[in-house]
Amino acid sequence: VSFDDVTLQAKRACGDDVLYFDLREQGNLMRLINDCQEAPNLQLVYYPPLDLSVSPPILPRKCFLVARHDIPPHVELTWNYGPHYDRHWQRRARAGGGVPEE
């Protein structure tokens, strides 16, 4: 993820720091998609779909994130990381510790 050429040139001309994530070295595109349990705008889809009614069963080989609805520009991409994702701040809130200040 980077700036377009015109913005990049303007930032360099003004001496502004040129900072960005290089996903080839620091993760992948999934690093830019955040967790949301309430209303994620992406959902995980498996292909081919699991089919246990045939022998041998058809097992998924790939997974994709697809939009649940049209997503306007500049809207954060989110999906539900699932029940196994450690949301430690929620455990503390349920235990009466409240949500920590950020």
Side-chain angles (χ1 to χ4, degrees), residues 31-93:
R31 184 174 179 152
L32 304 178
I33 301 173
N34 291 319
D35 179 45
C36 177
Q37 290 180 289
E38 296 79 26
N41 52 28
L42 301 173
Q43 69 183 24
L44 193 62
V45 175
Y46 296 101
Y47 182 83
L50 176 65
D51 187 350
L52 300 176
S53 67
V54 295
S55 182
I58 298 173
L59 303 174
R61 300 283 184 215
K62 298 181 181 203
C63 60
F64 305 90
L65 285 171
V66 297
R68 297 171 58 124
H69 51 76
D70 287 343
I71 303 171
H74 308 292
V75 169
E76 175 183 35
L77 297 177
T78 61
W79 72 294
N80 187 340
Y81 288 0
H84 303 291
Y85 178 65
D86 182 20
R87 296 176 177 95
H88 56 86
W89 60 93
Q90 291 178 342
R91 277 197 323 267
R92 276 184 283 185

